[in-house]
Each structure stands twice: as C-alpha cells, then as structure tokens.
Amino acid sequence: SGPDPRHERSAVIDLDAIRHNVRRLADAASPAKVMAVVKADAYGHGAVPVARAALQAGASWLGVAHISEALGLRAAGIDAPLLAWLHTTDSNFGAAVAAGVDIGCSGWELERIVAAAREQERPARIHLKVDTGLGRNGATPETWDRLVGEAVEYQDQGLLRVVGIFSHLAVADEPERPETDQQVAAFREALAIAEDAGVDPEVRHLANTPATLSRPDTHFDLVRVGLGMYGLSPFEGQTSAELGLRPAMTLRTLVSQCKEVPAGQGVSYGLHYRTREASTLALIPMGYADGVPRVATGGPVRVAGKTYPVVGRIAMDQMVIDLGPEASGAGLHGAEAELFGDGSDGGPTADDWARAAGTINYEIVTRISPRVPRRFI
Ligand code: PLP
C-alpha cells in the first residue's frame, strides 16, 4: 500500500476543528446567531464540506461574496439561508432569486433585483447594506434614506422582502481604535431610519470575527464569522489557542529528495543561499503554484519533529530546507513535511508563514491553490 499518491501533497481539513470553532464563536455571539462566511472556497478550506460542518455545529446562515459562490452551495443541496453581497452589473440576480439566495444591496442593484423578481415571479430576499465607514460597498449615509424608501415601496408591491440590514467593520482587529464606536453609532442611526420607514428586518448584522470575540455591542441579531471558524486569530498579539480556537488546515507533503552537498552549495534560483558547511538538503515539493508565497523564504517546514526555515528562493513547484550536517543523507527521504498545522505541539502555523511573507493569516490559507488536494478528516 503506502501513502495514497493523490494525497502526497495535501491540505488536510479538520472538520471537527471547524465544528469546535463554530461552537466557540456561537457561544461568544449568543444570543445573536451565526452566519458562517464560506466565500473564496471557505478561505481555501472547501466551501461545501465546511458549510455542512458549520451548519451541524449551530451556524444558521451562510455568507459568500458572489452569487456564483452561493449557487455552487445550492447545487450541492445546501438549503440554509444564504447571503451573497458583492455584485457586478452582469451578476445573475435571476438565478439568485430562483435559488432563494439572499442578495446584498448597496443601491445600484435594486432595480436589477426587482426586474429579476418580476421575471421569476417570486419576491427577492434582500439585505440592505449601509457603509458606516469602511468605504467599500454599501449606501452612503446620504443615499440611505432614498434606498430605504425605494425598498419599502417595492416591498409593499410584493416584489421583495427586506430580510436584513447590514454593514461591515474596518478596524475591529484593533480593539483600541475609536472608529468601531463610530461605526456602531452610524449603524444604529441607519437602523432607526429604516425602522421609521417601516422596515422590520429579521436580521441586523455588523460583526466579523474580531468584533464577535471582543465587542458584544456589535453583535445585534447575527454575526458573520470567517477567520475564527477556520481557527485563526484576527488579533496581532493573540494566538488561536489563547482565543480557544483550533486551526483547521494542515498543509503537508513528503520530502521529495534528500542529498548530501558540500559547503558552499548554492540553492535555488539566484543562488541567494549557500551552505555554510557540508549539509543535507531536503527538497519539499510545494511552491508558489501551490499558493505558498514566493517572498516567504525563511518560512518554517517541520520534518521529523524539527522545524527548519526555507532556504533560497521558493520556486513554482518546490522549495528547499537545509537539514544541516548531522542529518544522514537519505534518512529523511519520504518523511512527512508540514508547512503549517494547528500549532498544538509547537509546530509551524499559518501565522508563521504570514510573518515570513509580510501578510496576514487570511491570505495564507485562502491562497492555497486548487493544485493541492483537500483531504477532509
Ligand atoms: N462580512 C463580510 C462582509 C466580509 O467581507 C467578511 C470577510 O472579509 C466577513 C464578514 C468575515 O470576516 P472575518 O473573516 O474577519 O470573520
């Protein structure tokens, strides 16, 4: 037998960890409900299995950016309430209405959503989005009254239902900053305007993962959690474990080759690394085509219980670690190599790779490419 060749390189997704994290976040959010954010293939973890696990563990909503992502979940038989919030003029609003997908609406979408509802002979379900300070999508405070007024008119005509009102936070990962207070105040104001106009939404939602964990005043009826569900910390100075979260993705492969080289051996394109003494080099068959950032030289790889930094440039398919002079040449050929995992036994984490690449943990897991098979445990 031996290892399954399809799994020689894999992102192992621990669905128990997903369920644990959803329960942890639901606890923090209670009595507010949980929307599991599964956009971008569940931040690289696999949208359909993650959505199912999240719903099992108590999430009652799902959230994605694009209607196409929502339709993928519906096609897999997932019928939970599901919101898609980022659109273009060619987005398929008709398919969203037909599939019972809730549509985020910042303003310009309204006429198209109503046209789709007429065509489908079915009321659209919409969530009105207000920009409370992030400066991305959502109606500005100046256009909010008008959007609410128009939505109420269409609702009265039976063409749509305003199921939700929402906004998104800009600095919730930095709890000491004052802008979150301003966003909460602006959100309350927008809600009051909508209520005065006769809107009675089922769900009002503002919080992301950091706000769910640190700001109960942002919870309202529903929190939208992504990062925390994947077990990663949104806070600079706090680890997953300190937050009671378990990282769900392990990126692993097998050492593809081991060889003894003399002192002064150059390694990888540009020859920016040279061995200081006679050493054993181990070849790791992962590279930037797998989504490992090319700039992350120095990122950690654990082999046989010890963690080594990547030396030389990360290439498209491969990278190299220097096992040093003690390792016997062929001894670790075929050994398991872990780039990151749950960190529970001091092993490398996505946070370590984020530091090596000068980015955030969100990007490290999300960018692991489709070339790496996902294996669900
Ligand atoms: N809500 C919206 C609108 C988002 O775009 C995102 C992700 O960026 C989230 C919620 C989830 O954020 P987080 O992953 O920090 O929980």
Side-chain angles (χ1 to χ4, degrees), residues 8 28-29 50 57 83 173 194 229 260 264 270 273 297 339 342 345 360:
E8 83 194 12
V50 167
L83 171 65
D173 56 321
M229 179 172 56
E260 288 175 13
Y273 178 81
T297 294
L339 280 75
D342 68 10
D345 48 0
I360 53 175

Side-chain angles (χ1 to χ4, degrees), residues 37 39 43 85 129 136 168 208-210 224-227 362:
V37 177
K39 61 182 175 159
Y43 294 27
W85 55 68
K129 183 159 199 187
R136 299 197 321 201
H168 193 36
N208 54 3
T209 293
R224 302 184 307 269
V225 294
L227 193 75
Y362 289 77

